[in-house]
Amino acid sequence: MTSKLKVNIIADGGDNAIMTSDGSGSLTINNAALKNTPAFAARLSADTTISNETNTKIDFDEEIFDTDSAYDHSTNQRFTVPSGKAGKYFFSIVVHLNSGGAARLQNCQIYIYKNGSSALEQNFNFNSNDIFQAGMSIAGTFDLSAGDYIEGYARMSNGSGTPSIEGANDTDSMFTGYRLIGA
């Protein structure tokens, strides 16, 4: 024996729709407290040369989506917490590093900066290997208040050549983030 409960609206005591259905299986969550927003995804649209052994801000200049217009992809390439949206946030950065020619990658770092300072760092030393390209990623959660901002940085060293962060393909280098619900 099975039971079914069929509804097209779930409402609170004030008759405010918390969730609605269009009758064909598509749900819309109407309560902002139940959504992982603000949320964004941005990518690096072209290969970007960086200075050897210098922390360099990554120019994630192409927005894939941005639910609250909180990621500035055209001016400063950072996510800023909107007013009224304080809480715990999850961020991730994936980059494809290139040594820039015959030189091999040596020490590589990627960072998540919070309010202009390094808050999380991922390091890898390739010195003993003949590595010319590598993918690196970093992810973490942060307690953020309105006005706090998050950015991505990278640093590479190689003996010679011009290191770069690859961005020509859609998924080479990405920056994503969203507010966690229930945390």
Side-chain angles (χ1 to χ4, degrees):
M1 177 181 237
T2 61
S3 298
K4 291 183 184 180
L5 174 63
K6 294 183 179 183
V7 298
N8 64 348
I9 297 174
I10 296 176
D12 63 15
D15 206 27
N16 299 301
I18 297 171
M19 188 176 352
T20 58
S21 171
D22 67 1
S24 64
S26 296
L27 294 175
T28 301
I29 296 174
N30 299 316
N31 186 327
L34 298 176
K35 297 179 183 180
N36 286 98
T37 59
F40 76 96
R43 70 179 205 89
L44 188 64
S45 66
D47 297 351
T48 302
T49 300
I50 68 172
S51 298
N52 193 37
E53 296 187 11
T54 303
N55 286 15
T56 304
K57 187 171 180 175
I58 306 170
D59 183 13
F60 294 105
D61 61 335
E62 187 174 301
E63 260 182 10
I64 298 167
F65 68 88
D66 184 3
T67 63
D68 290 51
S69 299
Y71 183 78
D72 180 357
H73 67 281
S74 61
T75 307
N76 55 31
Q77 293 74 38
R78 68 170 65 149
F79 171 83
T80 303
V81 177
S83 178
K85 301 289 184 162
K88 292 190 184 308
Y89 283 79
F90 176 84
F91 295 96
S92 70
I93 295 175
V94 176
V95 291
H96 181 171
L97 309 173
N98 187 323
S99 67
R104 63 190 167 127
L105 291 172
Q106 293 173 359
N107 296 316
C108 299
Q109 296 88 29
I110 57 174
Y111 306 88
I112 295 178
Y113 273 43
K114 176 183 174 184
N115 297 331
S117 298
S118 176
L120 194 59
E121 177 180 339
Q122 177 70 9
N123 297 297
F124 201 85
N125 183 331
F126 295 102
N127 278 337
S128 62
N129 299 298
D130 286 330
I131 304 293
F132 299 95
Q133 295 185 28
M136 288 183 71
S137 63
I138 189 170
T141 57
F142 298 87
D143 285 313
L144 300 176
S145 300
D148 285 343
Y149 61 94
I150 301 292
E151 305 165 292
Y153 278 75
R155 177 184 177 106
M156 289 186 281
S157 62
N158 62 8
S160 62
T162 306
S164 66
I165 302 170
E166 301 293 312
N169 295 317
D170 284 347
T171 58
D172 275 345
S173 298
M174 306 259 314
F175 182 21
T176 61
Y178 54 89
R179 187 170 63 145
L180 297 170
I181 60 171

